[in-house]
Amino acid sequence: MLQWNLIIKIYFLQRKSKISASRKLMLKSMMVARAKEELEQEMEEKEEQKAKYLEETSPPLETAGMSSDDLKALCKELHAKIDAVDEERYDIQAKVSHNTREIKDLNIKVVDLRGKFKRPSLRRVRVSADAILCSLLGSKHKVSLDLRANLKSVKKEDTEKEKTAEVGDWRKNVEAMSGMEGRKKMFDAAKGEKQ
């Protein structure tokens, strides 16, 4: 069934644009019906093989005309065979569980090793804003983005004046600005700078 699913997917991926939807549905239903028939045949074959194997390995018992001692010996023989098969089954189960544990451990180790590898450090690449816009918008769009021109310029003279105004005798400044008169002076000074 898995093979048929793969065949169906591959077929429809290859011929995607050339088939109409109704034809595609019809082909798919035909393929699914064919796959179902083959699956049923496969199941019947497996059942036949199983029955054939059981006939070969375990012939029918003929207990008619056997004495009680012969029946007891037959029972002991059958129990011995059952014990041997159980021992084999137990050994196989132990091997399978051991192998599954090993597989889980190895998977954990693989995941750990993936995390331990050091990823290479990425190098910085200097790209201008114009190049970024060109790659994003394409070559048709002509936009020049000069970020330095848009930055706010700061004059050195203004910053020097602020520093000199702040530096001074702070005690005089505190006494002059105390009370309501000081607040009025601050308000008037701020109002004069704006105008």
Side-chain angles (χ1 to χ4, degrees), residues 15-143:
R15 304 188 55 130
K16 195 170 190 176
S17 61
K18 296 181 181 179
I19 298 176
S20 66
S22 60
R23 179 151 170 80
K24 191 186 292 186
L25 185 63
M26 183 189 69
L27 286 172
K28 192 173 184 180
S29 62
M30 287 173 57
M31 289 178 144
V32 168
R34 172 78 179 185
K36 188 177 179 183
E37 288 173 6
E38 286 191 8
L39 186 65
E40 288 172 358
Q41 286 178 352
E42 193 176 313
M43 295 293 280
E44 288 174 5
E45 288 175 4
K46 282 184 182 179
E47 289 293 325
E48 289 173 6
Q49 287 177 353
K50 187 177 179 182
K52 188 176 180 181
Y53 177 77
L54 287 175
E55 286 177 10
E56 290 174 1
T57 55
S58 58
L61 295 174
E62 295 179 13
T63 56
M66 289 185 137
S67 65
S68 63
D69 293 333
D70 291 338
L71 286 174
K72 287 180 184 178
L74 181 65
C75 287
K76 285 182 182 179
E77 184 181 326
L78 289 175
H79 281 292
K81 286 182 180 179
I82 290 171
D83 290 340
V85 169
D86 279 341
E87 286 176 8
E88 280 185 43
R89 184 179 52 84
Y90 178 78
D91 291 342
I92 291 172
Q93 280 182 344
K95 286 180 184 177
V96 167
S97 63
H98 178 70
N99 287 341
T100 53
R101 265 188 262 119
E102 277 189 23
I103 290 170
K104 284 180 185 177
D105 292 341
L106 290 174
N107 283 337
I108 290 170
K109 285 181 183 178
V110 166
V111 170
D112 289 344
L113 286 174
R114 281 184 189 162
K116 286 182 183 176
F117 286 118
K118 191 173 185 181
R119 291 187 176 89
S121 59
L122 299 175
R123 284 186 263 152
R124 285 189 176 229
V125 179
R126 288 188 166 231
V127 180
S128 67
D130 293 331
I132 293 172
L133 278 175
C134 186
S135 67
L136 289 174
L137 303 174
S139 60
K140 294 179 182 177
H141 199 66
K142 304 277 182 177
V143 173

